[in-house]
Amino acid sequence: VRYLEESKFDAVLTDPVLPCGQILAEHLSLPSVFFLRGIPCGLDFEATQCPNPPSYVPRVFTQHTDRMNFLQRVKNLMFELPNYFLCDFVFQPYVKLASEFLQRDVTVPDLLRQASIWLMRLDFVLDYPRPLMPNIIVIGGVNCAHKELPQVGRPQKISPW
């Protein structure tokens, strides 16, 4: 930590799924840049204050669209309920670590709200379109490699007439 303090970095680039990078950015008083696909339990929605009502936004694995009937909305809500309990359990060690290291009470959403820029690997062909805050930059397709297609037989010439 002493080396990082003396190095005078400009920012911290981190994946917020494990908030250790953000804890370090808070300690060093540096802006943080998040590079992610998404955070479990919808913490990315909560931290960026993006609307994400379970009665309208389809949840993963429900196979619903944005046009749901009442029973589908109820099912969508039921898929969301375990996230509240699971997140508290999963992120509890990081809350304790951050509170001890920063010497103040913090929560994971409080840490994530401090991000300067969110580089989101979203692609609205695969993901449900959603509102984005001004500090969210969509960079879909980052993990797609350019690959040559194999030639099958000899390519045919097609006449324009």
Side-chain angles (χ1 to χ4, degrees):
V1 173
R2 186 175 300 129
Y3 169 76
L4 294 173
E5 290 171 340
E6 293 169 357
S7 296
K8 305 288 185 205
F9 287 99
D10 295 322
V12 175
L13 176 64
T14 184
D15 185 340
V17 173
L18 300 177
C20 296
Q22 183 57 30
I23 294 169
L24 188 61
E26 283 286 308
H27 176 72
L28 299 173
S29 299
L30 292 174
S32 54
V33 178
F34 289 168
F35 181 74
L36 70 151
R37 170 75 176 88
I39 301 176
C41 312
L43 284 174
D44 50 341
F45 286 97
E46 184 179 348
T48 58
Q49 300 178 355
C50 286
N52 188 28
S55 59
Y56 291 100
V57 180
R59 297 303 184 236
V60 177
F61 304 123
T62 61
Q63 299 180 349
H64 295 315
T65 66
D66 60 335
R67 302 193 188 281
M68 296 180 273
N69 61 35
F70 177 74
L71 290 176
Q72 289 172 324
R73 291 178 196 277
V74 170
K75 179 183 175 185
N76 207 45
L77 179 63
M78 299 308 259
F79 268 72
E80 184 69 13
L81 288 177
N83 286 339
Y84 295 113
F85 304 107
L86 182 64
C87 273
D88 286 342
F89 177 74
V90 170
F91 287 106
Q92 190 59 39
Y94 298 104
V95 171
K96 185 178 178 187
L97 172 71
S99 296
E100 289 176 7
F101 189 70
L102 299 173
Q103 298 177 351
R104 61 184 165 89
D105 288 336
V106 294
T107 64
V108 172
D110 289 339
L111 285 171
L112 299 179
R113 281 188 194 105
Q114 303 303 318
S116 298
I117 298 175
W118 293 67
L119 300 175
M120 302 282 287
R121 293 186 327 235
L122 295 178
D123 186 348
F124 290 140
V125 172
L126 302 173
D127 298 299
Y128 179 77
R130 63 181 184 134
L132 299 174
M133 294 298 137
N135 64 337
I136 297 176
I137 301 170
V138 177
I139 52 173
V142 165
N143 37 346
C144 297
H146 178 70
K147 199 173 192 181
E148 291 291 327
L149 296 175
Q151 293 290 330
V152 179
R154 189 172 179 202
Q156 297 178 358
K157 291 185 179 181
I158 299 175
S159 172
W161 292 283

